[in-house]
Amino acid sequence: MIKQDLLLRAVVPAPVLAAGVFGGGFPPLAWATGVVYSLALVLLTEWGLRRSGRGAFGPADWITFARAILVGCAAALIAEGDFSLGWLVGLVGVALLLDGLDGQVARRTGTASEFGARFDMEVDAFLILLLCIQVSRTLGLWVLAIGLMRYVFVAASWTMPWLTAPLYPSMARKTVAAVQGVVLVVAVSELLPTSVTFGAVAVALTALAWSFGRDVVWLARHRVAVSHRPARIVAITRSSLRRPLGHAWPGHNQAA
């Protein structure tokens, strides 16, 4: 069963990602992006399963895996550069609609796990980064700060382990996280005038910086001695495993 699970994870992404490279005659960069992403997806999920002591995906993990493939298709399109925005918005839209479904399935089937929560959050984070890359082509490289902020936070936690301590529940944090996705999808669609889009993305970035800053200050004030094994420190809490439907993007340190 475990071998079948690995084989399926290795085989499925290839044709789907290939089909995701629409138009443009399958340029080399898009192909390369699809291949690298497919390999990374299979290898990282296998590593994550082994590290968590699990042998195979649960039902919710397959939903997250499907979302990850859609995100890979979006990555190939963005790498291609010359594509219809409708395809990208469609892929991202479906990926976002599926978000939350995996958590709901995990709860109803009793298969919620640290691996599943981490997998879900990493897919979300990478999707946000991809959207930032696309938007930065029209608004400037400063937009990348939105997608990179969490990764910088995680990198900082390697030298400051107290940043990996669980955060308190916050509706403001969830709202700010959700706003990033909504604003970036609208920006990618190019439905609004550039000046309006610029202002909206700038406000989203400001809100995100405030949210991160507030949490860093809170973590600093409540600093505790922790080990140097982030997986044990963060140990995604039961509350984070029971993420409410619609919480589309990860918390700042839940997957550090």
Side-chain angles (χ1 to χ4, degrees):
M1 178 63 183
I2 295 177
K3 291 183 178 180
Q4 292 178 348
D5 180 275
L6 176 59
L7 179 62
L8 190 57
R9 280 185 281 121
V11 171
V12 169
V16 178
L17 286 173
V21 188
F22 302 80
F26 297 86
L29 183 58
W31 271 111
T33 300
V35 170
V36 172
Y37 183 91
S38 297
L39 289 174
L41 180 59
V42 173
L43 293 176
L44 288 175
T45 52
E46 180 65 16
W47 174 79
L49 284 171
R50 291 181 180 274
R51 190 164 181 262
S52 64
R54 297 176 57 194
F57 273 0
D61 299 326
W62 282 111
I63 297 176
T64 307
F65 192 73
R67 292 181 54 237
I69 293 175
L70 292 175
V71 172
C73 292
L77 282 178
I78 291 173
E80 180 182 343
D82 183 18
F83 59 88
S84 169
L85 287 176
W87 284 114
L88 180 59
V89 173
L91 286 170
V92 172
V94 174
L96 294 179
L97 287 175
L98 289 175
D99 191 27
L101 179 61
D102 44 11
Q104 192 174 29
V105 170
R107 290 191 296 273
R108 292 186 176 183
T109 58
T111 57
S113 66
E114 180 180 337
F115 166 80
R118 176 70 179 266
F119 185 21
D120 184 44
M121 288 187 287
E122 293 300 340
V123 171
D124 291 337
F126 189 64
L127 175 57
I128 288 293
L129 179 58
L130 285 178
L131 292 175
C132 287
I133 292 173
Q134 178 61 24
V135 176
S136 70
R137 291 173 172 174
T138 55
L139 298 186
L141 294 178
W142 63 272
V143 179
L144 294 177
I146 294 177
L148 293 175
M149 198 172 299
R150 174 181 170 275
Y151 292 104
V152 171
F153 184 96
V154 172
S157 72
W158 297 343
T159 57
M160 295 179 285
W162 52 270
L163 287 173
T164 62
L167 287 166
Y168 58 94
S170 171
M171 183 56 67
R173 186 187 307 118
K174 295 177 181 179
T175 301
V176 169
V179 165
Q180 308 305 310
V182 173
V183 170
L184 288 171
V185 170
V186 172
V188 165
S189 69
E190 298 184 0
L191 293 175
L192 301 177
T194 302
S195 58
V196 176
T197 301
F198 185 98
V201 176
V203 170
L205 174 57
T206 301
L208 187 62
W210 167 81
S211 182
F212 269 95
R214 184 186 67 155
D215 286 339
V216 169
V217 170
W218 186 89
L219 288 168
R221 288 177 176 175
H222 298 79
R223 187 181 309 185
V224 294
V226 294
S227 72
H228 290 279
R229 297 185 65 187
R232 297 297 182 188
I233 304 164
V234 178
I236 301 177
T237 59
R238 290 190 178 92
S239 59
S240 65
L241 288 176
R242 295 193 294 269
R243 289 194 313 149
L245 183 63
H247 181 195
W249 283 277
H252 301 158
N253 69 346
Q254 291 175 340

